[in-house]
Every structure is written in structure tokens, then in C-alpha cells.
Amino acid sequence: MPQYDTIISGGTIVDGTRMPRFRADLGIRGGRITAVGNLDRSEAARVIDAGGLYVAPGFIDLHTHYDAQLFWDPSCSISSWHGVTSVVIGNCGFGFAPCHPKDRDRAMLTMTRTEAIPYECMKAGIPWDWETFPQFLDSLERRPKGVNVLPYVPLTPLITYVMGLEAAKTRKPTDAETEEMCRLLDEAMDAGAGGWSAQRLHPSGGNCVQRDFDGTPMVTDLMHNDTALALARVLRKRNAGFIQMVLSTSDPRADIHHLEELAEVSGRPIIFQALRSTDSRPDAHHMTIKWLDRCYERGLRIYPQAIITDAGLTFDLAQDLNIFDDSEAWCEAMLGNVEDKLHKLGDPGRRPALRARPPQTATDFWDIIISDVKDPAHKHLEGLTLGNAGEKLGKHYVDAMLDLAVAERLRTEFFAPAHNTRLDLQTEVAKYPWAIPGVSDGGAHTKFLTAGVYPTEYLINFVREGRAMSLEEAHWKLSALPAYAAGFTDRGLLRPGYAADVVIYDYEGLKLLPQEIARDMPANEWRRVRRAQGYRYIMVNGDLTFVDGKPTGSEPGRLLRHGAAQDGLA
Ligand SMILES: [Zn+2]
């Protein structure tokens, strides 16, 4: 019997520790790395020739919403196409467990707006063979998975399960209800949950961009601070788990002191979203960085996830869109089906309110581009910004958009460039030592966002082209740092004893392909995707999942209870 299942031979290893790269072989057995060094006299069932290629730890994506998609796409694409081998689900307080059977439909409807996951996909694709969180984990355990999955307990379903949706949004829980939430969290953590998550955007409009199906804030936006503190104490008592929280530091009303208090009370790491640059306010991220540095001086573990991918949005107004929800008038006008929206967006009586404060989507509204018109008579507007189209037509830019969209039954396609297109500012964020690359939002916003490309973009923009950091630094940030921050106990490095999650790639050949439409969702739904070139082999727990971008059909991913696969095998 050969000594190794696989030897990855002759590659240049960047092991994730930030030590200098070195030429060596990697021996793998039972899903784990068992040797690093010169293995040319050893026997292996399979030898992968990595000559001329880099061998690095698989990427760890801490911010995804694959909670639904992984049931119909066990590979969790597009993340897995870009070298991601482990994902964290249940982010932002959103998810599907615990859930009373009678509330399943409402739970899916919630996700249609806040994370823009098509309802028909969820309806056709989610098996719903659970009620409690531990049962949900058992269901995940039984399913084939192409990547490893580490779950949070999302607080929206947890609070809703105990109080009911209406009460959860209108009053503080009683002591008995809070106690029950803590008991359920304890039970979920016993079953292996990594911690809990919540979105905390200011409930009164403003920055509340991720709303519920009916346009109201999410349960966790309205959650009382005392509830969060009680749940933080559960983690303290267990001395385990971490908290993920979305907060807008650019909103003066954002309660960053509450975040510090949670870090203090729990004594646990907090993963906070998001550190990002803003083109129009080049100083904004410096403020967040100063705040984080002060937190570290005080001994608080608050780690920022950084949006350093250029996440422009392609959309039409017929879709379930949440990107305008920071404006009350827009949020209201964008509720309902296409007929409802056609009526509201075409209504001259509503226009003054829609013009008054256009939403701050990915970009300034004025700069949104008319990317694809459906009626040849409108061709002269294609490629113009709304600002330019408004000038050309002699009307307000909001009217220019809405008149055009209504005339084309909302099928006109628009592109909102991101707020953070300036590469010099993105680089400052990327270089902050504790900034975890990510916020792919994988599995969410599937019709207009492809931020799952971030690992590929990171290596290209900040190492190969931008030379802002070394490859050693980049791989530490893409794998080891998130593994440490989120409690993965045996992943993120290429060292003996670690799980064999490996990316083998052609550094010079690494390339991002253009956005395209894929019709590969349940219920004949479509999504936008972006592929990469240059990843020769992607390996999860010692099994190849992709070779030259083609899936092998192997599904070696594991559920990571308590941060690791529990049976000793990787
Ligand atoms: Zn999220």
C-alpha cells in the first residue's frame, strides 16, 4: 500500500504562515497533509505534477449566504471556482433554522429581498427536513458538499422562533423569552455552531439597505441591545464561538460602542462588516482603521472583513431588489410584483419623493449607467449615465431612468459602478494588517452581484499587478487569517496535520473572465456568474474538486462542527 494517497510534486509552496515560499512536495493521506519536503522516493496512489505552479492553502470565505444554494449546488459556486474550499454560512443573522414548519414560507420570502435569493429557487431547492438548529446541522451533514461548511446561528430565525415575527419586531423579549433564546443558542453551540450573527443597521431608514420582504427592517436591526448582550454572555460562559455583525461605521448613528461592549462581555472575537474605501470620501476608511487600532490597544478582538472587490451591480427594476432600500420612497415603490412596480414607478404623483433623495446604491445615482436597452428606439441612450441621459432629454435624471424603464416594462438593464473603484484606496484597505478579504455574499444577490471573485481579484490586483504586498502576505490573508478569526482549528495552512485543502495555480496565467448569465438554478431561474482561469487543481480534504476549471464530480466537503470535521478525518 503506498505511503500517500496523493503527492503534489515539485510545486512552489506558499504555506499561509507568511514564511518565504519554497520548492517542495506535499504528501497527503486520509484527507490531511502528512508530509512537506522532498518525497521523490515515496510511493503515492496519485502524483500531481505542480512544476511551475504555486501550491497554497484553499481560501476561506467568511461571509456567504449559501444557506439555500448549497442544497442545489453543493459546490457553492461561484466561490469554489475561485479557489474557495471552506465557507461560513448563516451570516448577517439570516438563515433557515430554527424555524417552525408553519413559518417556512415567510422565512424564504424574507430572503428574497434582504439577500435577493429568488423565491422559486428556494421553494424548489430547500428540503426543509428540520425544525431546530441541531436538526438543520444534521441535514447539512447528510448532504454531499463540494466545500467545507462552518455555520453560524443566525439571530433572525432564532428570535422569530421564540417570539413570533410580529412580536420580534415590535417589543423587547420577556426574561423568559430571552432565557429560551439563550438555551437554544447553547443547544446549537453544543451541536457545533461556530457562534452567532446579526445585521445591526439603523432601523429608521438611513442606512437600512437590507430589509425584510415587506420593506420593514430585519428582526436583528430592531433587536434590543440587552438581547445581544445576553447572547454574548452565552459565548463567554462557554468560552467558545464568535460573533459576526454588520454595522455601518459611516452612519453616525451606528452603535460602535455596543460592538465594543459585545466584545468585552463575550470575551470572544467579533467579525465585523465592513471595512471599505469610498471614492468620494478618501478618508472614510482611515477613521474605521483608527477605531480598530484603539480596540486592539484595549484588548478587544474585533476583526474587520474588507470589501476590496469592485462590486458593481448589474440590475433591472423588474427584479427583487434591495439596493434602493436606504430611501423610504424607493423602498415602498419597489415592493410588489412587476405590475405593482410599473404602476408605482410610472405614477407622476410619486416622482417628487423619488427625485428628492435618490438612493445611494453602489454609486451616486447620477452615475448609474444605462447598460442595455430593450427597445431600438432607445438605443441613443445606451451607455450614458443617468446624469447625461437626463441632460440630453431635458429632464431630471431620476425621471430619465424611470420613464425609460417603465416604457420597457422594467426590462432596461442598468449598471451601478461600485463606491470603491479607486484602486489606490482599495490598496490601503487591503494592506491594513488585520483586514480579512471577503464579503463575497456568495449565494445572495445572484442576479446582480459576483463578488465571489474576490480571491482571484486580490491576487491579481494587490500582488501580481499592484505589487502592494507579497504573495506570502496575500495567502496568509486569504486563508490563515480568516481561519484564525473564525475558529477553524485545522485549516488555513499547508502544514503536517492540517486538512488538505489546496489550491494549485498558474500565477502568471491567473485571469478573471467576463460576467455571464448562467441558467443553472432550480425552477429555471438564472444568475450572473464570473469564472477564472489559472487554477489548475483545487483540492478539498485531499480530493480534487476542480481540474482546469472543470468539476470532477467529487464532493469531499465536510460540515465543520466546533470548527473542524468531528470524526478525526479531514
Ligand atoms: Zn451578508
Side-chain angles (χ1 to χ4, degrees):
M1 191 161 154
Q3 201 175 349
Y4 300 104
D5 301 329
T6 304
I7 289 178
I8 300 171
S9 142
T12 299
I13 295 180
V14 185
D15 68 5
T17 62
R18 290 185 282 195
M19 292 300 282
R21 68 197 76 177
F22 57 100
R23 189 81 51 83
D25 309 320
L26 210 60
I28 293 162
R29 188 173 172 88
R32 288 188 186 276
I33 297 163
T34 52
V36 181
N38 183 358
L39 304 178
D40 56 6
R41 289 167 180 275
S42 305
E43 295 273 300
R46 168 176 61 189
V47 176
I48 296 171
D49 178 9
L53 304 174
Y54 282 102
V55 182
F59 309 133
I60 295 181
D61 187 348
L62 297 189
H63 193 124
T64 82
H65 295 279
Y66 286 118
D67 305 57
Q69 184 180 324
L70 61 79
F71 290 108
W72 62 80
D73 170 22
S75 83
C76 296
S77 64
I78 64 174
S79 297
S80 56
W81 299 345
H82 295 270
V84 167
T85 53
S86 296
V87 300
V88 177
I89 61 167
N91 270 277
C92 306
F94 310 149
F96 303 101
C99 186
H100 296 292
K102 66 175 173 49
D103 296 333
R104 287 171 179 165
D105 213 54
R106 187 62 177 82
M108 291 189 285
L109 284 172
T110 289
M111 294 296 260
T112 60
R113 188 172 192 97
T114 191
E115 292 299 338
I117 303 171
Y119 173 79
E120 295 301 333
C121 292
M122 289 187 277
K123 185 105 182 125
I126 298 181
W128 283 115
D129 53 357
W130 64 80
E131 174 172 334
T132 67
F133 195 86
Q135 289 166 352
F136 170 68
L137 291 193
D138 291 342
S139 177
L140 281 185
E141 183 104 68
R142 288 192 296 271
R143 311 238 143 221
K145 289 170 287 297
V147 295
N148 305 300
V149 176
L150 189 143
Y152 288 109
V153 179
L155 292 193
T156 291
L158 182 83
I159 296 172
T160 307
Y161 188 75
V162 173
M163 298 179 72
L165 188 58
E166 171 142 11
K169 290 197 181 188
T170 47
R171 65 170 173 84
K172 199 180 165 182
T174 63
D175 289 350
E177 284 167 339
T178 305
E179 219 169 282
E180 177 63 358
M181 288 174 206
C182 291
R183 187 188 71 78
L184 290 170
L185 175 61
D186 234 343
E187 181 185 85
M189 297 286 295
D190 283 343
W196 58 262
S197 71
Q199 166 179 289
R200 303 285 269 156
L201 296 177
H202 202 278
S204 64
N207 67 14
C208 200
V209 286
Q210 302 219 103
R211 298 196 195 208
D212 202 345
F213 171 65
D214 55 4
T216 59
M218 295 295 290
V219 166
T220 55
D221 293 328
L222 298 159
M223 170 172 69
H224 198 281
N225 283 3
D226 289 349
T227 308
L229 287 168
L231 294 165
R233 276 186 216 106
V234 174
L235 302 190
R236 176 173 205 97
K237 192 185 70 201
R238 302 181 64 96
N239 189 29
F242 53 100
I243 296 171
Q244 180 265 350
M245 199 164 269
V246 183
L247 200 82
S248 172
T249 48
S250 62
D251 184 338
R253 296 166 304 182
D255 199 353
I256 55 170
H257 300 299
H258 175 56
L259 201 64
E260 294 167 16
E261 200 182 4
L262 286 174
E264 216 149 330
V265 165
S266 69
R268 303 300 308 165
I270 293 193
I271 297 166
F272 132 83
Q273 275 84 68
L275 173 62
R276 66 188 306 172
S277 59
T278 304
D279 294 351
S280 58
R281 295 188 302 124
D283 208 28
H285 58 284
H286 298 159
M287 311 276 283
T288 309
I289 284 172
K290 271 190 203 137
W291 166 65
L292 288 165
D293 285 340
R294 280 201 306 275
C295 289
Y296 303 142
E297 273 163 29
R298 292 170 50 203
L300 302 177
R301 289 187 276 182
I302 300 181
Y303 304 124
Q305 280 219 79
I307 301 181
I308 30 194
T309 187
D310 181 355
L313 306 170
T314 307
F315 63 92
D316 64 54
L317 299 180
Q319 292 162 12
D320 283 322
L321 277 181
N322 66 351
I323 61 175
F324 300 133
D325 286 0
D326 64 321
S327 153
E328 296 293 342
W330 275 83
C331 174
E332 196 278 327
M334 289 295 291
L335 288 170
N337 62 26
V338 172
E339 290 307 322
D340 297 335
K341 289 195 276 190
L342 264 174
H343 173 75
K344 289 191 267 188
L345 297 172
D347 171 12
R350 281 169 203 264
R351 288 294 175 86
L354 295 175
R355 282 193 296 261
R357 202 178 75 78
Q360 295 302 302
T361 54
T363 189
D364 288 329
F365 208 81
W366 171 279
D367 290 325
I368 289 175
I369 294 162
I370 302 166
S371 51
D372 188 14
V373 300
K374 301 301 170 197
D375 181 343
H378 299 137
K379 267 285 179 226
H380 63 294
L381 298 174
E382 210 169 76
L384 297 181
T385 63
L386 294 181
N388 290 338
E391 275 167 9
K392 194 165 182 168
L393 298 167
K395 52 172 104 161
H396 192 276
Y397 55 93
V398 166
D399 293 318
M401 177 198 223
L402 295 181
D403 291 347
L404 173 63
V406 169
E408 300 193 337
R409 291 195 58 79
L410 308 187
R411 302 310 312 181
T412 321
E413 187 185 276
F414 299 95
F415 177 73
H419 276 301
N420 63 333
T421 55
R422 272 182 60 179
L423 201 56
D424 57 333
L425 301 181
Q426 276 192 36
T427 303
E428 287 179 13
V429 171
K431 286 178 77 166
Y432 181 59
W434 316 116
I436 303 169
V439 201
S440 72
D441 263 342
H445 317 293
T446 43
K447 282 189 162 64
F448 48 92
L449 186 69
T450 53
V453 301
Y454 80 84
T456 310
E457 209 172 56
Y458 197 84
L459 291 170
I460 294 174
N461 284 356
F462 305 121
V463 186
R464 194 181 71 199
E465 314 289 334
R467 301 192 183 276
M469 68 181 77
S470 68
L471 201 55
E472 287 80 357
E473 188 80 19
H475 281 298
W476 181 75
K477 286 202 163 202
L478 288 165
S479 302
L481 175 62
Y484 178 77
F488 290 79
T489 55
D490 57 359
R491 290 169 204 273
L493 299 176
L494 297 183
R495 306 198 98 179
Y498 275 68
D501 296 342
V502 189
V503 175
I504 304 169
Y505 69 99
D506 170 8
Y507 178 69
E508 291 303 333
L510 210 55
K511 188 178 166 189
L512 258 181
L513 300 183
Q515 203 171 67
E516 54 184 308
I517 293 208
R519 298 182 191 280
D520 59 358
M521 305 270 274
N524 294 318
E525 273 287 3
W526 60 275
R527 60 177 178 153
R528 283 180 211 281
V529 298
R530 280 189 87 176
R531 294 176 181 274
Q533 265 173 10
Y535 295 111
R536 297 291 316 280
Y537 304 94
I538 297 172
M539 179 181 272
V540 174
N541 297 317
D543 263 350
L544 290 174
T545 49
F546 291 92
V547 175
D548 286 324
K550 305 243 165 4
T552 60
S554 176
E555 285 160 342
R558 305 298 300 271
L559 175 66
L560 306 181
R561 297 180 193 253
H562 309 289
Q566 290 302 299
D567 53 8
L569 299 171

